[in-house]
Structures are given as structure tokens and as C-alpha cells.
Amino acid sequence: MSTFVFHIDTEAVRKRKIWFYTGAIVLYYLWFQAFYNMVACGKVYPYRSTGEALLGIGLNFFSILVLFLLNTTIVFRLTTALRLLWVKIITDVACSVAATVAFNIIFLVVQRQTWDPQGTLDWAGTLLGDMMILMLNEAAYFLLHWRHARAREEHMRLLATQRQYDLLKMQVNPHFLFNSLNLLYSLSNLDLVRSQKFMLSLSEMYRNILERRDLVKVSVADELRYTRAYFEVLEMRFPECFTVEITGARQAQAADLYIIPCCLQLLVENITKHNAMRPEQHMTITIDISDSGLVVTNPLQPKINQRPGDNAGVGLRYIADVYRNHGLFFTSEKTTDTFVATIPYL
């Protein structure tokens, strides 16, 4: 069982909770007092005078209020770190009984020292009341915990949907698509074979994007296979300017190593977006399947007319955010002449 913590968001919410707990305590007191009077005395109102009634009601209400506060503190504060359900329940019962016994002893001592030297306590009644209060608190705790879990599940579902949409927006880059269609138009007039190959690679690339949008993880082997169509499109867009080299000691285990989907394509797209792609400055991207992760390296060849901060790091931030949710860290480092990004394995 996961840890549950109260979160009071606004003053209005805090006031509503105070009124709710106050009403619950009052209603419980009225019910328990009537029930106890019927069991112990045979009638709901057994008092012989108004003063006796006020004293009994006041002392009993004070006792129930203290037990409510003690049990609420135990259930909602002290034992929330316990993850096993049965361990938490046993611990709550033990702590509640110990707190009730301690409170009864203190109450009995004060009673005998002040208004009633011969005073006694109904231990069975107080322990019964304590167990009923504990049950109410446990029910409230697990109800709120269930609602919190449902809300978190819904939030994660919406977050996953938003991530899929963001990923699709980043990959269906309008500039990339515009340039690709322009190149397709030019090739259709000059080289029919190349234009057909380009069109097939482009459609394969977007089909792969749609296929991967619901995946949580993908093997390195599959990611390289999916991204190959993207490499082919880039090689035709930048003829004699672009090369991808795959190296690494763990190439044979690529099918057993997992990363998040589409991150490799995002990294390569980031490289082509922010670097000059010219025959005299050949861009060689190295993908190293190493023990520490998938290491992508490229030389820095900044575009002359690129504006600083123009959509810089959008894909990198997306990859970093997704890995952070997995409890892992995606790293990227820029030196004077190279850019290195390390994709950790899941």
C-alpha cells in the first residue's frame, strides 16, 4: 500500500474538512451516548438531574473528542509509511489501544484528584468506543486513499495522452514535412526511381511513428530498425552530407536492451535541425551501444543563420522528462566541437 498524505489546497477546502470532522464527531457522540445509555442503563436518558446530565455529557464528549483526535493522528499521520495493508491495520490497532489506555489512566487520576475521589471508568465501554472510532478513521483513510489513487491514475492517463500528442507534434515537424514534400516534387521531375524510394521511406517513417505512439519501451534493435526509414529520408534530403555509424560492444544484445520509443529519432532530428549539412562538412553521427547506455555523438557544425534559442532543446527536454518519470537520467553534453547524448537503458 502506498503512502497517503493529506493535501489541503485552499482555505475553503480546509474549512469544509473542519466542518465535516466536527459534524462526524457530534453525530458519532450522539449515537454512541444513546447506545451506551441503553446498554448500561436500559434507557436513553438515565440522568437524575440537569447538572448530572451536563457533567456526564461534557465528560463523555471530551473523551470521544480526544479519542477521535488520537485515532485520526495515528491513522492519517503516524502509520502512513507502512506499505503492507495488514501491517498498517495491526499497528493502528496496537497504537490506538495503547493511546486509549494511557488516556484512561490520566483521566482516572485527574478525576480522583479533583471532583470524584471514588471515580471509576468503564474500560470495556471506552475500548469499544475507541475501536469503533478507529474503524471509522480506517474507513475514511482507505476511501480517501482509493480516491487519491483513482485521481492519480486519471492524471497519469491524461499525462500519457499529452505526451503522445507532444511526441507526435515534435515528429510530424511541419518544416521537415514541407522540405520533404518539396524534395519529393523535385525528384519526381528528375529521378523517378529515387522519388519512389523517397516516398516509400517517408511513408514508412510516419507509419513507424504511429505504431510506436502507445509503447512504453522498445528494444534498441527495434528502435534502430524503426529509425532506419528516417535515416534513409535524411540521406536523400542531404545527399553526400549525412552518415550514421552504429558501433559498440553490446550490439549482439541490442534485442535485450530497452529504451523509450522514438528518442533516437528525436536526437537525430535535433542534430539535423541545429547543424549545417553540407558536403564539405560531412555529418557523421555515431550511435554507440555501450554498457552505460545508447551514446549518440556528432560533430558541432552550427548553422550560420540559426537564431539562438529557436526551438532549442524541445526534443531533449521531452526525452529527459520521460526518463525522469522512470527514475532515470538522460544526459547531454556539449564540448567545443562535439555533442554527446547518453540514453540510459530501462
Side-chain angles (χ1 to χ4, degrees):
M1 184 183 68
S2 58
T3 302
F4 178 80
V5 181
F6 273 120
H7 295 286
I8 300 176
D9 300 322
T10 63
E11 183 68 17
V13 172
R14 188 180 69 84
K15 288 181 178 179
R16 284 199 298 269
K17 288 184 176 180
I18 291 175
W19 280 110
F20 173 79
Y21 285 114
T22 302
I25 292 171
V26 171
L27 289 174
Y28 173 81
Y29 165 74
L30 293 174
W31 173 84
F32 185 78
Q33 187 67 65
F35 171 77
Y36 180 79
N37 287 346
M38 285 295 298
V39 172
C41 306
K43 51 185 176 179
V44 175
Y45 192 84
Y47 308 108
R48 291 168 294 184
S49 65
T50 304
E52 182 183 1
L54 291 176
L55 179 62
I57 291 172
L59 292 176
N60 289 335
F61 183 79
F62 172 75
S63 300
I64 287 176
L65 177 62
V66 171
L67 292 179
F68 249 102
L69 295 176
L70 287 173
N71 281 284
T72 301
T73 302
I74 291 168
V75 173
F76 287 93
R77 296 293 181 185
L78 297 183
T79 62
T80 54
L82 300 175
R83 298 188 176 275
L84 293 177
L85 176 62
W86 65 272
V87 173
K88 175 173 170 54
I89 292 176
I90 292 175
T91 305
D92 288 345
V93 171
C95 292
S96 180
V97 170
T100 301
V101 170
F103 170 72
N104 282 346
I105 292 173
I106 294 173
F107 184 86
L108 190 60
V109 169
V110 173
Q111 180 185 24
R112 290 179 176 179
Q113 293 293 326
T114 53
W115 71 89
D116 187 1
Q118 304 299 321
T120 60
L121 275 176
D122 185 350
W123 286 88
T126 55
L127 288 174
L128 174 63
D130 176 65
M131 287 297 101
M132 296 182 71
I133 292 172
L134 177 63
M135 288 172 59
L136 291 173
N137 275 279
E138 293 285 359
Y141 174 87
F142 289 110
L143 176 61
L144 291 174
H145 189 275
W146 175 77
R147 292 180 59 186
H148 175 78
R150 288 289 299 273
R152 178 175 175 78
E153 181 182 346
E154 179 66 15
H155 174 72
M156 294 302 293
R157 186 186 66 79
L158 294 175
L159 192 62
T161 303
Q162 183 63 41
R163 281 186 186 143
Q164 291 174 6
Y165 174 66
D166 292 340
L167 180 60
L168 200 59
K169 281 198 304 183
M170 282 188 288
Q171 291 180 324
V172 186
N173 188 311
H175 296 292
F176 177 84
L177 186 59
F178 176 76
N179 293 332
S180 297
L181 292 176
N182 275 339
L183 177 60
L184 179 60
Y185 175 77
S186 301
L187 287 175
S188 64
N189 294 322
L190 300 175
D191 190 331
L192 183 59
V193 176
R194 283 190 65 199
S195 67
Q196 290 175 342
K197 182 180 178 183
F198 182 82
M199 184 167 58
L200 289 174
S201 297
L202 189 64
S203 63
E204 178 72 10
M205 183 192 78
Y206 282 111
R207 185 177 68 84
N208 289 335
I209 291 173
L210 294 175
E211 283 183 353
R212 287 180 287 172
R213 72 184 188 275
D214 294 325
L215 298 178
V216 176
K217 63 180 181 178
V218 65
S219 70
V220 172
D222 286 340
E223 180 72 2
L224 289 171
R225 179 171 56 84
Y226 288 141
T227 315
R228 188 168 292 112
Y230 183 62
F231 294 157
E232 292 174 355
V233 171
L234 292 179
E235 287 169 356
M236 283 185 277
R237 274 194 61 197
F238 307 108
E240 300 180 0
C241 303
F242 176 86
T243 304
V244 176
E245 295 180 354
I246 300 174
T247 63
R250 301 195 66 181
Q251 290 189 63
Q253 292 86 39
D256 300 319
L257 304 173
Y258 290 88
I259 57 177
I260 65 170
C262 302
C263 61
L264 186 56
Q265 181 172 328
L266 287 174
L267 281 178
V268 175
E269 182 180 356
N270 185 73
I271 293 170
T272 60
K273 184 190 298 183
H274 299 292
N275 289 275
M277 309 291 284
R278 296 188 293 269
E280 62 271 19
Q281 287 183 295
H282 192 87
M283 173 61 67
T284 301
I285 300 175
T286 303
I287 301 173
D288 182 24
I289 308 174
S290 69
D291 292 331
S292 59
L294 205 63
V295 182
V296 181
T297 308
N298 68 277
L300 288 178
Q301 300 169 179
K303 293 180 178 178
I304 298 175
N305 59 347
Q306 182 168 331
R307 292 176 297 178
D310 186 18
N311 292 326
V314 176
L316 300 182
R317 284 196 298 273
Y318 172 83
I319 297 172
D321 288 343
V322 176
Y323 266 107
R324 192 176 298 113
N325 289 327
H326 284 280
L328 299 170
F329 294 96
F330 163 80
T331 60
S332 59
E333 181 182 4
K334 184 186 294 185
T335 64
T336 55
D337 55 357
T338 59
F339 181 84
V340 181
T342 302
I343 306 170
Y345 301 128
L346 296 176

